Amino acid sequence: MMRVIPKDKVIFHFNTTNQANYTVADGEVFWVEADDCYSGQITDASVKRPDIDISIMDCAVGPINVEGAHPGDTLCVEVLAIDLADHGIMVTNCGLGVLGDRITEPDTKIIPVHDGFAHFSDTIKIPLTPMIGVMGVAPKSGEIHCAVPDDHGANMDTKLVKVGSRVYFPVGQEGAGLAVGDMHACMGDGELSGTGIEIAGRMCLKVTVYRDRPIERPVIETFDGIYFLASRPTLDESIKVATADVVEFLMKKLNLSFPDAYRLMSATCDAQICEVVDDNVTVRLHCPKFDTRIQTL
Ligand code: CA
Ligand code: ZN
């Protein structure tokens, strides 16, 4: 019987001292249920963003400890399935998102989700692109709110955290302390209005601990490439950090000098934006699998 981790035990911060609420085995496959990022407070379109308690927003279900995960290891979280609730939420709010200065009053839109589409209006339907906004592990040090993405993951709002992807994290504490939440039915790169189609649901995950592929920050592997993520206060800083990680990866895997790895990176890799609306900006450098030696992390 596959375990289902319910949504009632959550954290609001990733830190070094959170006690595990659940423990799973290395290699285990399990489901996790999650509320939407508003913790279910937006029950209908009459509830506007200023009406809710933002202190309980963006929480994450967990911590889920993985047996045998030690500091310095790498935790791989493979997303095997995502089930969505029957409706999602999109709010607008004054100041929210890159054009938030043009919003004069808050508004909430409830968006039915069924038959593979988000039904944005009677005449507009959008193919679903289910993804997980918050996924992270306990950091090496400090305490960071779940809404803030950083080297331990958390609110990375990256549309590649989806079915078929393997998301790697640096283990900072014994057991790793995985926590997840903030599912989206659809979201574009950037999350430009400040939200995706925010939705509750459940996700099926498989965890694996690796000891031979150390990383400093989250990395996502898909069939078509390896993506190096970085979350820093500005786009410039994030791109610089992610670029350095890719160059180091190419130097190591292909046995190249810095200048050669630097130009190879520039010739092959794409800088892409995950989100620009959280307290740190998240980017990813896409390294395609153009050589047999870079098929995996
Ligand atoms: Ca989010
Ligand atoms: Zn969200």
Side-chain angles (χ1 to χ4, degrees):
M1 221 357 223
M2 208 180 294
R3 173 144 38 149
V4 178
I5 291 179
K7 63 185 180 184
D8 52 314
K9 288 181 182 164
V10 298
I11 57 170
F12 299 98
H13 296 83
F14 286 90
N15 64 28
T16 59
T17 54
N18 279 336
Q19 294 300 308
N21 281 319
Y22 307 97
T23 300
V24 297
D26 185 0
E28 189 167 339
V29 176
F30 52 95
W31 287 90
V32 185
E33 298 176 339
D35 254 329
D36 58 59
C37 69
Y38 306 112
S39 302
Q41 296 178 93
I42 298 183
T43 48
D44 59 65
S46 72
V47 183
K48 314 298 185 199
R49 168 69 194 266
D51 302 333
I52 65 171
D53 177 0
I54 60 165
S55 75
I56 61 167
M57 261 187 70
D58 288 313
C59 61
V61 179
I64 303 163
N65 268 8
V66 181
E67 287 170 358
H70 304 295
D73 292 345
T74 295
L75 180 69
C76 174
V77 182
E78 188 170 355
V79 183
L80 300 179
I82 294 177
D83 289 350
L84 301 175
D86 62 3
H87 70 279
I89 300 164
M90 285 195 97
V91 302
T92 52
N93 197 19
C94 305
L96 184 64
V98 301
L99 302 181
D101 58 342
R102 292 169 62 174
I103 297 290
T104 51
E105 66 182 310
D107 182 51
T108 294
K109 190 178 181 79
I110 303 293
I111 300 171
V113 168
H114 54 81
D115 305 324
F117 291 91
H119 296 264
F120 189 81
S121 73
D122 288 345
T123 57
I124 299 171
K125 60 179 187 176
I126 321 166
L128 297 175
T129 54
M131 52 154 284
I132 302 161
V134 173
M135 181 182 283
V137 298
K140 287 180 181 146
S141 64
E143 172 166 274
I144 310 165
H145 194 276
C146 291
V148 181
D150 210 315
D151 289 351
H152 66 299
N155 194 17
M156 302 185 289
D157 284 322
T158 301
K159 66 184 190 184
L160 293 178
V161 184
K162 64 174 186 175
V163 172
S165 293
R166 291 158 64 87
V167 188
Y168 295 89
F169 298 95
V171 176
Q173 303 296 328
E174 287 297 325
L178 173 70
V180 293
D182 184 30
M183 305 167 76
H184 299 162
C186 303
M187 194 196 91
D189 279 338
E191 202 181 24
L192 296 165
S193 84
T195 87
I197 299 181
E198 306 295 330
I199 194 164
R202 61 178 198 156
M203 59 197 96
C204 185
L205 307 175
K206 178 181 181 177
V207 289
T208 309
V209 179
Y210 290 98
R211 299 193 171 80
D212 58 349
R213 47 184 87 176
I215 51 173
E216 294 293 319
R217 275 167 286 285
V219 174
I220 298 176
E221 204 179 306
T222 71
F223 70 93
D224 77 338
I226 304 173
Y227 298 77
F228 293 78
L229 278 72
S231 301
R232 291 291 183 271
T234 68
L235 208 45
D236 287 356
E237 290 166 273
S238 295
I239 288 173
K240 188 165 185 171
V241 169
T243 299
D245 286 347
V246 176
V247 171
E248 193 169 317
F249 174 75
L250 293 174
M251 286 172 70
K252 194 170 77 180
K253 289 283 192 181
L254 302 180
N255 195 25
L256 297 173
S257 66
F258 177 82
D260 250 357
Y262 189 37
R263 52 187 152 227
L264 183 62
M265 176 278 303
S266 191
T268 58
C269 298
D270 295 315
Q272 302 174 343
I273 290 172
C274 300
E275 59 77 20
V276 293
V277 294
D278 297 327
D279 275 353
N280 276 333
V281 172
T282 304
V283 306
R284 59 181 186 268
L285 257 280
H286 172 216
C287 181
K289 298 180 175 179
F290 58 83
D291 187 284
T292 53
R293 290 166 289 178
I294 51 172
Q295 297 300 303
T296 191
L297 181 61

